[in-house]
């Protein structure tokens, strides 16, 4: 019947027949229904909290984990600000102190180095500053890597996201 109607409505080259397959779907066979997926998990019976809830247990765990990570990041930032990294140059004639957050804190120049002239002092300070900055960056990277490992995240690439 359907094929007769379709052949009247469509030309012979475009006719089709749609026949349901009894082995796939019948009036007495149960239908498989996919469980809906909700934002943040959920949908269907939950294993946590006795069913329903839309995944609130998972969302609360995620929020708690994010808060814990925030506390650890703040503690690391505080540690870096309070850490002093020292570098020397010109056989101890210059000592530079820089924080773990790369903030210069102190520069000391000996009398012996000052007697060698402004250029010698400038070169020694520049060398000590570069070394202190490099050491501070390495220290920060090491501490940040330990934090990333602790919370189970991969370390970001060297250049960062924009480079």
């Amino acid at each position: 019947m359907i094929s007769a109607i379709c052949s009247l409505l469509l030309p012979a080259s475009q006719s089709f027949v749609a026949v349901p397959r009894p082995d796939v779907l019948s009036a007495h066979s149960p239908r498989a229904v996919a469980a809906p997926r909700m934002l943040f998990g959920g949908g269907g019976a939950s294993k946590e909290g006795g069913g329903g809830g839309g995944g609130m247990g998972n969302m609360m765990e995620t929020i708690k984990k994010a808060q814990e990570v925030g506390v650890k990041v703040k503690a690391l930032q505080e540690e870096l600000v309070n850490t002093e990294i020292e570098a020397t140059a010109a056989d101890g004639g210059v000592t530079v102190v820089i924080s773990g957050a790369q903030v210069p804190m102190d520069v000391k120049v000996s009398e012996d180095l000052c007697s060698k002239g402004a250029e010698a002092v400038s070169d020694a300070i520049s060398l000590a500053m570069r070394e202190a900055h490099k050491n501070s960056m390495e220290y920060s990277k090491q501490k940040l890597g330990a934090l990333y490992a602790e919370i189970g995240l991969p370390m970001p690439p060297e250049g960062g996201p924009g480079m």
Side-chain angles (χ1 to χ4, degrees), residues 48-106:
E48 300 164 6
M56 284 304 264
N58 289 340
M59 187 169 68
M60 294 306 290
E61 286 178 30
T62 302
I63 291 171
K64 184 177 177 183
K65 177 86 171 174
Q67 289 172 340
E68 290 172 5
V69 169
V71 168
K72 290 177 183 180
V73 167
K74 188 171 182 168
L76 176 60
Q77 289 171 338
E78 186 72 25
E79 178 185 342
L80 292 175
V81 166
N82 293 321
T83 300
E84 294 183 356
I85 298 166
E86 186 176 287
T88 59
D91 297 324
V94 169
T95 302
V96 171
V97 179
I98 191 170
S99 76
Q102 292 78 49
V103 176
M105 300 176 77
D106 192 27

